[in-house]
RNA sequence: GCCGACGUGGCUCAGGGGUAGAGCAGCGCACUCGUAAUGCGCAGGUCGUCGGUUCAAAUCCGACCGUCGGCUCCA
């Protein structure tokens, strides 16, 4: 007999050789039905694993991350099986579980069409109905190579060849399908219940553009049909929050064929943008930043000196002025350096925090453009901090705190990554290590969780990146802090120290919003267009019910306007219902309905876009409250619209 | 840039070899109305661009441009 300790600490005794699934069934038939994989002494395994000794066991259902992953991963195997049944000769690349589903990359002479996704789905449902057990087979490297070689699965052969020497090589079979896989998997295909294939895309083998482009099919899977429906419904909802759609509906911005990736901001978008910048300027002034502005076009010599000419060439735009080469700035730093160099600096001045709302242009690949999120020109809320080596830690922490303050203000959740030295980099390994350590120490002293993003630093230094989510859960880098020992060297930046000698300052590049454009995109999706009053392009809509109240409504409007409230008067000869509907669609925070009663009493009937009819109040009371709400930059809830 | 799909009035979409259709928005008229669409009328499109096939192309074919979903890249 063996002793099995469960998650709750209870101990059960089973005969040696009992499988996990049998144990789950013994605990409760329902658990046996819902559990997908198990953790034995902390290691993930299949449920048909038989135990021969004492162990700590945790059963994992779809509610756990590991359970979901095994579930979706199993679905990807079923999809691969379906594809190979329907399209013999299709080669398998990789097929992992991802955040909300799974994908599989295929290499096939046949080009899959969207219509065929349904066929594949039907075949998958057949396989699910067949309820084929997933069985694990461990094999030696040679056996694995021979096996996949015989099946002409060259991608699998390549994967096996690259596996480290000490790893156990395993395959999973269901029916006549076999795939190289570490596992674990759910017990059988019948567990999958609800699968849906979502889209079709190209993807390079191993993510390298020099490799062959494969065909990737994305899908998702749930243990219950209702959950799948719910998920698909959520995706539909998310589309309604898409900033590209809301950008048109709310008339914030547009992108024209004449300038792909170069957004146009409309009057309402500019109000939003300027409010963000007002907030930004106030907060930066408080924190000791000065603001500068540097030119968009600068001489080639500058870009050669900064390293951009060598390391960033393919992302830049060029022009000639009087037979001399110039480039459009892709970054603000070189211009900023020139301002610093303009005069001598004493150690007493440091740190110098020099901010710039700089418009940069970058040649991004056409296929990557995406609304305001990825564009070819954008405004960075940049700043360069020049400092003594002894000030590095505090300055980095100061920026981390600033970013945190900004994101919390809008109610954003974010995650942090530390990006290290890329292949194409300037400077010695020692300097990179020193800079990377400084960033790491700052993160650790703040107790922040972060993920290492190896090889993703800027060419001149490592960086801390702050990532925000869009409506579909895709993440976008916004804030970043980059520690740079290169530029001060290249530009021969100095300060005069206590010893009256020249010394090299260290510098930080940092942005908080990242790109104003991208931030507005994220903000739009976060609030689903229902911006808090301080950001809303129109804050109040005044709507007389008939033209009898027009005179009083105009008076109300003038009063709001005089207080600096962004108000509009809807004097059109339309029903209130119609006016309200339109104002709601425009997500205007406050509507003031003005009828005979209000005109007589000097009140306004307040309707809030999220809270509905709030009843009549004295005009003065309403203005006092909204003025305070705007001044304090109060955040309404994102769910309100 | 690469793979795939798509491109019809301001927006959402129908049509699909014989020279364009709806709803919403816009404009005009009537209705004077109490918390998400009043009715009637009018106007608006060389069907992304260029080329080809055809007696005839929005429709079929090709190239290009743009958009969307990914890959790659990045704020």
């Amino acid at each position: 007999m063996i002793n099995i300790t469960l998650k709750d600490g209870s101990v059960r005794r089973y005969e040696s050789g009992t499988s996990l699934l049998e144990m789950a069934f013994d605990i409760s038939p329902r658990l046996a039905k819902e559990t997908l994989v198990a953790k034995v002494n902390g290691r993930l395994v299949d449920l048909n694993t038989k135990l021969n000794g004492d162990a700590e066991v945790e059963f994992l259902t779809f509610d756990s991350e590991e359970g979901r992953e095994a579930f979706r991963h199993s679905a990807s195997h079923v999809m691969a099986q379906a594809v190979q049944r329907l399209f013999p000769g299709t080669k398998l690349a990789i097929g992992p579980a991802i955040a909300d589903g799974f994908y599989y990359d295929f290499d096939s002479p046949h080009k899959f069409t969207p219509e065929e996704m349904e066929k594949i789905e039907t075949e998958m449902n057949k396989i699910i109905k067949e309820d084929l057990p997933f069985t694990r087979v461990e094999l030696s490297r040679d056996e694995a190579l021979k096996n996949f070689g015989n099946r002409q699965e060259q991608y699998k052969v390549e994967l096996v060849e690259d596996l480290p020497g000490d790893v156990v090589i395993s395959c999973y079979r269901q029916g006549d399908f076999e795939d190289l896989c570490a596992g674990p998997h759910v017990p059988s295909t019948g567990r999958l219940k609800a699968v849906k294939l979502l889209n079709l895309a190209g993807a390079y083998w191993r993510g390298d553009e020099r490799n062959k482009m494969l065909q990737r099919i994305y899908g998702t899977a749930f243990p219950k049909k209702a959950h799948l429906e719910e998920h698909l419904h959520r995706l539909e909802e998310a589309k309604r929050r898409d900033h590209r759609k809301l950008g048109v509906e709310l008339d914030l911005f547009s992108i024209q064929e004449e300038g792909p990736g170069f957004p146009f901001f409309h009057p309402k978008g500019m109000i939003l943008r300027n409010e963000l910048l007002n907030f930004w300027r106030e907060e930066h002034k408080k924190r000791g930043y000065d603001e500068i502005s540097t030119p968009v076009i600068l001489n080639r010599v500058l870009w050669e000196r900064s390293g951009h000419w060598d390391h960033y060439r393919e992302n830049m735009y060029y022009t000639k002025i009087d037979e001399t080469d110039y480039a459009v700035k892709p970054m603000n730093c070189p211009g900023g350096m020139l301002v610093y160099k303009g005069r001598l600096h004493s150690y007493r001045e440091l740190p110098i925090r020099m901010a710039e709302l700089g418009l940069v242009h970058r040649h991004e690949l056409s296929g990557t453009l995406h609304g305001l999120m990825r564009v070819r020109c954008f405004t960075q809320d940049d700043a360069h901090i020049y400092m003594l080596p002894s000030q590095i830690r505090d300055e980095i922490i100061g920026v981390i705190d600033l970013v945190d303050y900004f994101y919390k203000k809008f109610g954003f959740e974010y995650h942090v990554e530390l990006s290290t030295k890329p292949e194409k980099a300037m400077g010695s390994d020692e300097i990179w290590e020193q800079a990377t350590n400084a960033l790491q120490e700052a993160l650790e002293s703040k107790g922040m969780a972060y993920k290492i993003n190896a090889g993703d630093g800027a060419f001149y230094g490592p960086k801390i990146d702050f990532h925000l989510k869009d409506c579909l859960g895709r993440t976008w880098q916004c804030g970043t802090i980059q520690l740079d020992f290169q530029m001060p060297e290249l530009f021969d930046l100095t300060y005069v120290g206590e010893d009256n000698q020249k010394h090299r300052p260290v510098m930080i590049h940092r942005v908080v919003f990242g790109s104003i454009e991208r931030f507005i995109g994220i903000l739009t999706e976060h609030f689903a267009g229902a911006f808090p009053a301080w950001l809303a392009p129109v804050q109040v809509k005044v709507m007389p019910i008939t033209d009898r109240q027009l005179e009083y409504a105009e008076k109300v409007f003038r009063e709001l306007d005089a207080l600096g409230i962004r108000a509009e008067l809807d004097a059109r000869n339309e029903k209130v219902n119609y006016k309200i509907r339109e104002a709601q669609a425009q997500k205007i925070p406050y509507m003031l309905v003005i009828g005979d009663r209000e005109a007589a009493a000097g009140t306004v009937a307040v309707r809030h876009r999220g809270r509905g009819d709030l009843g009549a109040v004295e005009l003065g009371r309403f203005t006092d409250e909204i003025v305070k709400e705007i001044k304090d930059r109060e955040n309404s809830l994102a769910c309100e619209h």
Side-chain angles (χ1 to χ4, degrees), chain A residues 433-492:
Chain A
E433 203 185 319
Q434 193 190 341
T436 309
N437 287 342
L439 292 176
Q440 205 154 3
E441 274 162 29
L443 282 172
E444 264 150 31
S445 78
K446 291 297 299 177
M448 290 183 97
Y450 63 92
K451 163 178 141 188
I452 303 256
N453 199 353
D456 210 38
F459 69 82
Y460 46 78
K463 54 182 188 167
I464 294 171
D465 298 327
F466 297 81
H467 296 250
L468 296 175
K469 273 189 193 161
D470 74 5
C471 62
L472 287 173
R474 294 175 292 208
T475 64
W476 300 89
Q477 185 188 314
C478 290
T480 163
I481 306 173
Q482 311 177 347
L483 188 56
D484 184 359
F485 292 98
Q486 300 302 323
M487 295 291 156
E489 197 71 34
L490 295 169
F491 282 87
D492 191 27

Side-chain angles (χ1 to χ4, degrees), chain A residues 32 104 225 338 352 385 392 402 537 625:
Chain A
Y104 213 113
K225 281 256 176 351
L338 298 183
I352 291 174
I385 303 175
I392 294 177
L402 178 61
E625 283 178 16

Side-chain angles (χ1 to χ4, degrees), chain A residues 117-160:
Chain A
M117 303 218 310
E118 264 176 57
K119 274 198 220 157
I120 297 169
E121 226 172 87
T122 309
E123 192 62 35
M124 285 175 76
N125 284 321
K126 255 190 229 167
I127 295 166
I128 291 167
K129 226 174 189 165
E130 289 167 22
D131 198 19
L132 307 168
F134 281 93
T135 54
R136 179 186 172 93
V137 190
E138 291 185 1
L139 61 182
S140 72
R141 182 169 301 254
D142 287 344
E143 285 168 336
L145 287 175
K146 209 172 130 198
N147 183 14
F148 289 113
N150 288 342
R151 288 170 174 255
Q152 308 209 327
E153 292 284 5
Q154 65 262 30
Y155 297 99
K156 296 295 173 187
V157 169
E158 208 178 313
L159 290 172
V160 172

Side-chain angles (χ1 to χ4, degrees), chain A residues 138-337:
Chain A
E138 291 185 1
L139 61 182
S140 72
R141 182 169 301 254
D142 287 344
E143 285 168 336
L145 287 175
K146 209 172 130 198
N147 183 14
F148 289 113
N150 288 342
R151 288 170 174 255
Q152 308 209 327
E153 292 284 5
Q154 65 262 30
Y155 297 99
K156 296 295 173 187
V157 169
E158 208 178 313
L159 290 172
V160 172
E161 280 168 350
D162 288 353
L163 285 173
D166 54 348
V167 80
V168 178
I169 299 176
S170 59
C171 284
Y172 277 79
R173 280 190 195 135
Q174 81 261 18
D176 55 356
F177 177 85
E178 186 172 26
D179 195 1
L180 174 73
C181 183
H185 280 282
V186 300
S188 66
T189 59
R191 292 295 188 112
L192 297 176
K193 308 293 184 215
V195 296
K196 174 88 187 160
L197 300 188
L198 297 170
N199 39 33
L200 201 55
Y204 299 106
W205 167 236
R206 299 198 147 170
D208 189 327
E209 62 184 326
R210 287 165 300 195
N211 289 338
K212 182 162 186 184
M213 177 146 301
L214 308 172
Q215 301 183 71
R216 175 173 296 180
I217 301 178
Y218 284 90
T220 192
F222 288 85
K224 284 192 181 135
K225 281 256 176 351
H227 290 169
L228 173 64
E229 294 302 326
E230 215 175 281
H231 180 252
L232 296 176
H233 183 70
R234 266 201 309 278
L235 289 181
E236 285 304 310
E237 283 296 302
K239 279 189 198 152
R240 303 203 296 135
R241 301 174 84 101
D242 192 314
H243 78 283
R244 293 167 298 187
K245 196 169 159 57
L246 288 168
V248 173
E249 287 169 7
L250 306 180
D251 201 15
L252 301 176
F253 69 92
S254 63
I255 297 178
Q256 316 277 347
E257 275 205 22
E258 288 81 352
F262 300 116
F264 291 63
F265 276 81
H266 298 193
K268 287 185 173 152
M270 279 310 287
I271 289 174
L272 176 56
R273 186 181 169 118
N274 285 330
E275 286 299 337
L276 286 171
L277 295 184
N278 290 343
F279 173 59
W280 186 91
R281 286 197 164 102
E282 273 175 38
E283 294 300 330
H284 280 72
K285 201 172 166 206
K286 279 187 208 162
R287 290 169 175 78
Y289 285 82
D290 295 317
E291 189 177 343
I292 61 167
S293 175
T294 69
V296 168
I297 298 175
L298 290 164
N299 193 299
R300 167 180 179 158
V301 174
L302 178 78
W303 303 108
E304 285 173 343
R305 183 162 197 181
S306 67
H308 286 83
W309 199 268
D310 285 337
H311 294 92
Y312 211 72
R313 184 195 291 263
E314 62 279 16
N315 281 297
M316 293 166 67
Y317 297 111
Y318 303 90
T319 189
K320 252 191 184 14
I321 301 175
D322 295 338
E323 304 303 308
T324 309
D325 290 329
Y326 279 75
V328 180
K329 69 176 175 185
M331 295 185 195
N332 302 303
C333 37
M337 305 283 120

Side-chain angles (χ1 to χ4, degrees), chain A residues 491-509:
Chain A
F491 282 87
D492 191 27
L493 301 190
T494 57
Y495 64 88
V496 179
E498 250 176 314
D499 56 3
N500 203 30
Q501 299 296 305
K502 283 189 177 177
H503 298 277
R504 189 73 73 214
V506 184
M507 76 173 255
I508 288 174
H509 311 240

Side-chain angles (χ1 to χ4, degrees), chain A residues 422-438:
Chain A
E423 268 181 52
K424 220 176 153 189
M426 300 175 87
S428 69
D429 286 347
E430 293 72 47
I431 282 188
W432 273 83
E433 203 185 319
Q434 193 190 341
T436 309
N437 287 342

